[in-house]
Amino acid sequence: MSMLKNTLFNKLIFTYVVLIVISLAILTLVSISAFNRAHLAEVNQYLENTAHIAGAAVQDAADHRYLQDRIKELGQTAHTRITIIGSDGAVLADSEKDPATMENHNHRPEVVQARAQGIGHSSRLSETLSVRMLYLAIPLNPERPSGEVVRVALPLRQVDLFSRQIYQVVVAAFVFLVILAVLMSFWLVRAKYDQLRKDFVANVSHELRTPLTLVKGYVETLKEENLDKQKAG
């Protein structure tokens, strides 16, 4: 009987724990994905704002030497790589590299998309820096998409670092919630198990008392009949 009780109790605990762990795991994955999407959207918005600011700052820059100095200064202030690309694809200024040493950028995917759609996005390995970068590009003049292009970029390691931090926090919360859920499940199952046991004992006792009561009543009836017969005789 004790073994049967333990088996039932363990099954209830196991069922509760499995359901809770699966639910929390799904919630954790959904949360991580949502946080990553939200963070990536914020980064892209930051890049777009930086591109517009850089474009406005160099709009009237005719001297390429001034343009290069200005872009380098803006890049350091914004902690972002900024590149100005001419209509022919030549790099006019770059905040981290000498434009004279850089190849034609007209075929870069973010530049092609910016000229065609007004804004371009790309995440890839930088051929110039040999670092994975997140790029965003816009035409310097929206009315002339085939003209100069402003491109801004951040190393993906910065984006990935934040994602890893989110992952660590969410996983820590997941572990804490699992432990808490297991303890609560143990307590709830124990309470329910005790209540079920009490109800079962009460029902069995009632069922056992009922036929005994009937038998007792029948026996008393027979005794009364016998007494009546004896008196009558």
Side-chain angles (χ1 to χ4, degrees):
M1 184 68 177
S2 176
M3 184 179 295
L4 182 62
K5 290 180 180 179
N6 290 335
T7 301
L8 177 60
F9 181 76
N10 291 336
K11 285 183 177 179
L12 288 172
I13 283 288
F14 179 76
T15 302
Y16 270 80
V17 170
V18 168
L19 290 174
I20 289 171
V21 169
I22 291 176
S23 300
L24 288 176
I26 293 173
L27 179 61
T28 299
L29 293 175
V30 171
S31 299
I32 290 175
S33 177
F35 277 126
N36 283 336
R37 286 197 304 270
H39 176 59
L40 187 59
E42 288 182 2
V43 171
N44 278 314
Q45 187 60 56
Y46 169 78
L47 289 176
E48 185 175 352
N49 293 341
T50 303
H52 284 294
I53 292 171
V58 301
Q59 191 77 41
D60 300 323
D63 189 335
H64 284 188
R65 287 178 299 179
Y66 165 77
L67 182 62
Q68 175 64 14
D69 292 340
R70 185 65 178 136
I71 287 300
K72 185 172 291 188
E73 180 185 349
L74 287 171
Q76 292 174 349
T77 302
H79 302 288
T80 305
R81 185 185 179 191
I82 304 174
T83 308
I84 305 297
I85 302 163
S87 57
D88 58 354
V91 177
L92 304 179
D94 188 89
S95 60
E96 297 186 14
K97 284 289 183 178
D98 180 2
T101 65
M102 298 173 67
E103 62 184 18
N104 192 287
H105 276 44
N106 251 359
H107 298 293
R108 296 292 197 271
E110 65 277 0
V111 175
V112 173
Q113 188 180 16
R115 295 193 191 282
Q117 301 177 16
I119 188 169
H121 300 271
S122 177
S123 57
R124 57 181 175 77
L125 182 69
S126 169
E127 297 179 20
T128 304
L129 302 178
S130 298
V131 175
R132 290 176 64 243
M133 304 285 286
L134 180 65
Y135 293 99
L136 184 142
I138 60 172
L140 185 61
N141 184 353
E143 297 180 359
R144 291 182 58 248
S146 61
E148 291 82 2
V149 169
V150 182
R151 188 187 70 176
V152 293
L154 281 173
L156 275 172
R157 64 173 177 269
Q158 294 184 15
V159 180
D160 294 340
L161 176 62
F162 183 81
S163 297
R164 285 195 297 270
Q165 291 173 341
I166 291 176
Y167 177 79
Q168 291 170 355
V169 171
V170 173
V171 168
F174 169 77
V175 173
F176 172 76
L177 289 175
V178 166
I179 295 174
L180 182 63
V182 169
L183 295 176
M184 290 183 65
S185 296
F186 185 86
W187 181 80
L188 288 172
V189 170
R190 169 62 70 183
K192 289 185 177 181
Y193 177 77
D194 289 343
Q195 186 61 45
L196 287 173
R197 184 175 57 81
K198 290 177 182 178
D199 292 343
F200 176 76
V201 171
N203 289 333
V204 169
S205 299
H206 175 72
E207 294 298 330
L208 289 175
R209 281 198 304 270
T210 299
L212 288 175
T213 302
L214 291 175
V215 170
K216 184 178 179 181
Y218 181 70
V219 170
E220 289 178 350
T221 301
L222 289 177
K223 286 181 178 181
E224 291 177 356
E225 290 180 354
N226 288 332
L227 289 173
D228 290 342
K229 288 180 180 179
Q230 289 176 0
K231 290 179 179 179

